[in-house]
């Protein structure tokens, strides 16, 4: 094989390697770009999620306060119902006593 043939083969191989390197570089660059886009998108989604969680935490706190107030009101209502029930029971006893006295006197 002559030096010219070897030199031509060598140049051909080197050209193929350069083209492969350029293709590899393009693939890597596209991968890096796509990865960066995905990271930016995930970052935005994470910020939205964080804001949503903060809003939910505030709503949860408001809900807990409302439940506490309702629980207090429920306890007051139960006490009122108990008092009214006792008063009605007492009133019923008085009516019974008045009725018996009325019957005895009549």
């Amino acid at each position: 094989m002559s030096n010219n043939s070897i030199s031509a083969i060598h140049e051909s191989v080197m050209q193929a390697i350069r083209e492969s390197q350029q293709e590899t570089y393009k693939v890597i660059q596209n991968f890096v770009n796509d990865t960066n886009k995905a990271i930016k998108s995930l970052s935005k989604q994470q910020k939205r999620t964080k804001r949503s969680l903060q809003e939910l935490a505030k709503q949860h706190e408001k809900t807990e306060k409302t439940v506490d107030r309702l629980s207090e009101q429920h306890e007051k209502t139960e006490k009122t119902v108990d008092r009214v029930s006792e008063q009605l029971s007492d009133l019923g006893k008085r009516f019974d006593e008045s009725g018996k006295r009325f019957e005895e006197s009549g």
Side-chain angles (χ1 to χ4, degrees):
M1 217 184 239
S2 72
N3 279 341
N4 283 344
S5 295
I6 293 174
S7 183
I9 293 172
H10 176 73
E11 187 56 38
S12 176
V13 168
M14 291 305 291
Q15 182 62 32
I17 289 172
R18 281 192 291 275
E19 289 173 5
S20 290
Q21 284 177 330
Q22 288 174 348
E23 276 301 309
T24 301
Y25 177 78
K26 287 178 186 177
V27 169
I28 291 171
Q29 196 60 37
N30 286 337
F31 176 76
V32 168
N33 290 339
D34 290 347
T35 301
N36 286 336
K37 287 178 187 176
I39 289 170
K40 286 179 184 177
S41 176
L42 285 172
S43 178
K44 288 178 183 178
Q45 289 174 356
Q46 184 182 22
K47 287 176 185 176
R48 284 194 299 267
T49 300
K50 185 177 180 179
R51 280 193 303 269
S52 294
L53 287 173
Q54 288 171 341
E55 290 173 20
L56 284 172
K58 288 177 186 176
Q59 287 297 327
H60 179 72
E61 190 175 315
K62 288 179 183 178
T63 300
E64 280 186 333
K65 288 178 182 178
T66 300
V67 168
D68 288 345
R69 284 195 306 270
L70 287 172
S71 180
E72 290 173 9
Q73 189 62 42
H74 178 73
E75 288 178 26
K76 289 178 184 177
T77 301
E78 281 186 334
K79 288 177 183 177
T80 302
V81 167
D82 288 345
R83 274 196 313 271
V84 169
S85 183
E86 288 175 16
Q87 290 172 351
L88 286 174
S89 178
D90 190 41
L91 187 60
K93 289 177 186 175
R94 289 184 189 172
F95 274 132
D96 286 345
E97 290 172 6
S98 294
K100 288 180 186 177
R101 277 189 258 142
F102 181 74
E103 287 176 2
E104 291 173 357
S105 67

